[in-house]
Amino acid sequence: MPASTAAPRPNAVVAVLALAGIVVALMQTLVIPIIPELPKLLDASASDAAWAVTATLLASAVATPVVGRLGDMFGKRRMLLFSLVLLIAGSAVCALSDALVPMVAGRALQGLSAAVIPLGISIMRDELPAERLAGATAVMSASLGVGGALGLPAAALIADKLDWHMLFWLSGALGVVSLVLVLSLVPESAVRTGGRFDLLGGIGMAAGLACLLLAISKGGDWGWTAGTTLGLFAAAVVILLVWGWWELHTPEPLVDLRTTARRQVLFTNLASIAIGFSMFAMSLVLPQLLQLPEATGYGLGRSLLTTGLVMAPSGLVMMAFAPVSAKVSKSRGPKVTLMIGALIVAAGYGLNIVLMSEVWHLVLVSCVISAGIGFAYGAMPSLIMGAVPASETAAANSLNTLMRSLGTSVASAIAGVILAQMTIDLGGFALPSEDAFKVVMAIGAGAALLAFAIASFIPRHRPAGSVAGPAPADGVAAEPASAR
């Protein structure tokens, strides 16, 4: 597709890319209201129907680093458009599906669009003036939370009032709008690495991540000590070790592990896992507290639509704090911003342990945690881009996004075990106990404090406003001293 030749308009570029990020996040949230109904809707068992969620997780984990690398090689805008086409195609397949196999296939296609956010951040680095970069990337990072928070009430309303297929027609329509806007307003960057794609590296990473995430996501159903679960964990370790050896010895690796091992990149990615864990713990706890029956003594007995409306302000708070995050990064450096965000998240979970008996309590808690997430997510792209050359921006940002996803997957598994083991009996049904929720909150706070501790090891970093903007066309960028 021909790239736009007109000079980029920064406001338009930021708005369009943020919209694309919100659409991708919406895609992941839209299915939540119909998860309990999927076995009946698809004429499948509950364990089989769960693949409509698992397929998206696996596809996004595999696609994000691969598409990021392809973006660095062949054009970030080109791969962004390709990702949106996959989202549209997947939405159409799901919208036309009434059986399990096409639904899982469509959800996998949707998952392959997950690289939109890191690609968008990388396009911003190439196209925006340096003074706009920190704020723009913070907004792009926040789009993930905004889409997730706004998607839940919208999806609940549609699922309640209309045919469930409309969820996917909506996703597809928003994908088409984003595609047209990107074609019209977002330019193609001249910063590319060229070279050959590391096919073996891509296959190895895909196999290793698939084994790891499959074991994490399905271990609760299969049993954590079951042969299948343990075998997948063992396979993941072996495959990823062999993959790492290959990446270190091939001349054009999928992931430059030497760059990834730089102190600034390494500790930012480790902190991202912990922050991703903390973010998802909130998404698991608060909706359940809102929907559990009042007879439990701690549930609030609200509908799914009300739950979505309660959670919606959190996404707006995350977006509102994105520019605040950028200002702090400009003045104090993104390391400080990340550490502040982690402390705010930990404080939010601490607040949740003592405030969980009223709807307004949970609105307050979700907004506090989201403010911290907005700070942290806004700082991560600046830290990554300050330590890698412009020609590796998309791959590096995609790997950072993958680390956040790994954190959310681990959070889902651990919280699922806790909520399944610590239960009360209500009318013959086992429901998570109040103490179970408090334990998950405490672990969420601990994960945020762990992110704070990890971030303290990141080298002192120049203010984010000085991160390099558009790079030379040959893609050559100096390595920042702080990253060495």
Side-chain angles (χ1 to χ4, degrees):
M1 296 178 185
S4 174
T5 57
R9 290 172 284 176
N11 290 338
V13 170
V14 173
V16 170
L17 293 176
L19 173 64
I22 290 172
V23 170
V24 169
L26 277 169
M27 171 274 298
Q28 297 175 341
T29 310
L30 283 176
V31 75
I32 290 177
I34 62 171
I35 286 177
E37 304 297 323
L38 278 178
K40 180 176 68 175
L41 295 174
L42 301 176
D43 191 23
S45 66
S47 59
D48 287 342
W51 282 99
V53 177
T54 305
T56 308
L57 169 70
L58 296 177
S60 62
V62 170
T64 300
V66 172
V67 174
R69 176 61 178 156
L70 291 171
D72 282 331
M73 294 175 64
F74 303 116
K76 303 175 184 72
R77 176 180 179 267
R78 178 177 297 174
M79 295 312 301
L80 177 63
L81 292 169
F82 177 68
S83 297
L84 289 172
V85 168
L86 290 177
L87 184 147
I88 295 165
S91 299
V93 170
C94 291
L96 296 170
S97 297
D98 286 302
L100 178 65
V101 173
M103 174 63 74
V104 171
R107 290 289 292 164
L109 283 172
Q110 287 186 315
L112 293 175
S113 68
V116 162
I117 291 177
L119 285 169
I121 291 171
S122 303
I123 291 171
M124 288 175 177
R125 181 186 190 180
D126 294 345
E127 300 301 330
L128 299 183
E131 65 272 11
R132 292 290 309 273
L133 185 58
T137 56
V139 168
M140 189 70 194
S141 290
S143 67
L144 178 64
V146 175
L150 298 182
L152 186 56
L157 181 62
I158 292 172
D160 186 48
K161 302 297 184 182
L162 303 171
D163 181 76
W164 63 274
H165 293 92
M166 287 300 299
L167 294 170
F168 299 103
W169 287 123
L170 173 64
S171 175
L174 291 173
V176 170
V177 171
S178 298
L179 182 73
V180 171
L181 290 175
V182 171
L183 277 169
S184 304
L185 299 172
V186 177
E188 181 62 272
S189 168
V191 182
R192 302 186 188 182
T193 61
R196 299 177 60 185
F197 179 70
D198 178 17
L199 181 59
L200 284 179
I203 293 172
M205 174 176 265
L209 288 174
C211 290
L212 177 62
L213 292 173
L214 194 56
I216 291 173
S217 61
K218 303 295 285 186
D221 295 332
W222 295 336
W224 293 105
T225 58
T228 302
T229 305
L230 295 177
L232 284 170
F233 276 126
V237 171
V238 172
I239 292 171
L240 290 175
L241 284 175
V242 174
W243 171 80
W245 177 89
W246 170 260
E247 295 298 283
L248 288 171
H249 290 84
T250 190
E252 295 180 295
L254 175 70
V255 177
D256 187 341
L257 293 181
R258 291 179 178 85
T259 298
T260 304
R262 290 176 184 168
R263 188 171 160 191
Q264 184 162 309
V265 179
L266 175 63
F267 284 108
T268 300
N269 282 333
L270 291 175
S272 298
I273 297 174
I275 289 293
F277 186 107
S278 287
M279 178 183 177
F280 203 66
M282 173 185 73
S283 302
L284 289 169
V285 168
L286 300 189
Q288 291 197 57
L289 283 173
L290 284 161
Q291 294 181 77
L292 281 173
E294 293 182 4
T296 60
Y298 50 88
L300 300 178
R302 307 293 172 166
S303 67
L304 181 63
L305 178 57
T306 301
T307 298
L309 293 173
V310 169
M311 298 295 291
S314 64
L316 301 178
V317 168
M318 197 178 298
M319 183 65 80
F321 272 84
V324 180
S325 167
K327 289 180 180 179
V328 175
S329 293
K330 285 181 179 179
S331 62
R332 305 289 296 178
K335 170 184 175 177
V336 173
T337 309
L338 176 55
M339 295 174 74
I340 291 173
L343 287 179
I344 295 174
V345 172
Y349 279 110
L351 196 64
N352 199 184
I353 292 175
V354 296
L355 291 179
M356 54 184 291
S357 58
E358 302 286 345
V359 170
W360 72 266
H361 291 172
L362 301 189
V363 173
L364 174 63
V365 165
S366 67
C367 288
V368 171
I369 294 174
S370 295
I373 296 293
F375 263 86
Y377 274 20
M380 289 171 189
S382 293
L383 286 165
I384 293 296
M385 291 188 293
V388 302
S391 57
E392 297 178 16
T393 302
N397 277 320
S398 295
L399 185 62
N400 182 251
T401 301
L402 175 62
M403 293 300 104
R404 299 185 216 176
S405 298
L406 182 61
T408 62
S409 299
V410 174
S412 177
I414 292 178
V417 170
I418 294 170
L419 297 177
Q421 295 298 318
M422 301 177 66
T423 61
I424 62 169
D425 183 86
L426 184 68
F429 294 94
L431 299 176
S433 67
E434 183 177 12
D435 286 341
F437 289 115
K438 289 184 176 180
V439 168
V440 175
M441 294 171 206
I443 293 175
L449 292 175
L450 176 61
F452 174 86
I454 292 171
S456 69
F457 290 98
I458 296 172
R460 289 187 63 83
H461 187 67
R462 62 191 179 184
S466 62
V467 173
D474 60 5
V476 177
E479 178 186 342
S482 62
R484 295 187 182 117

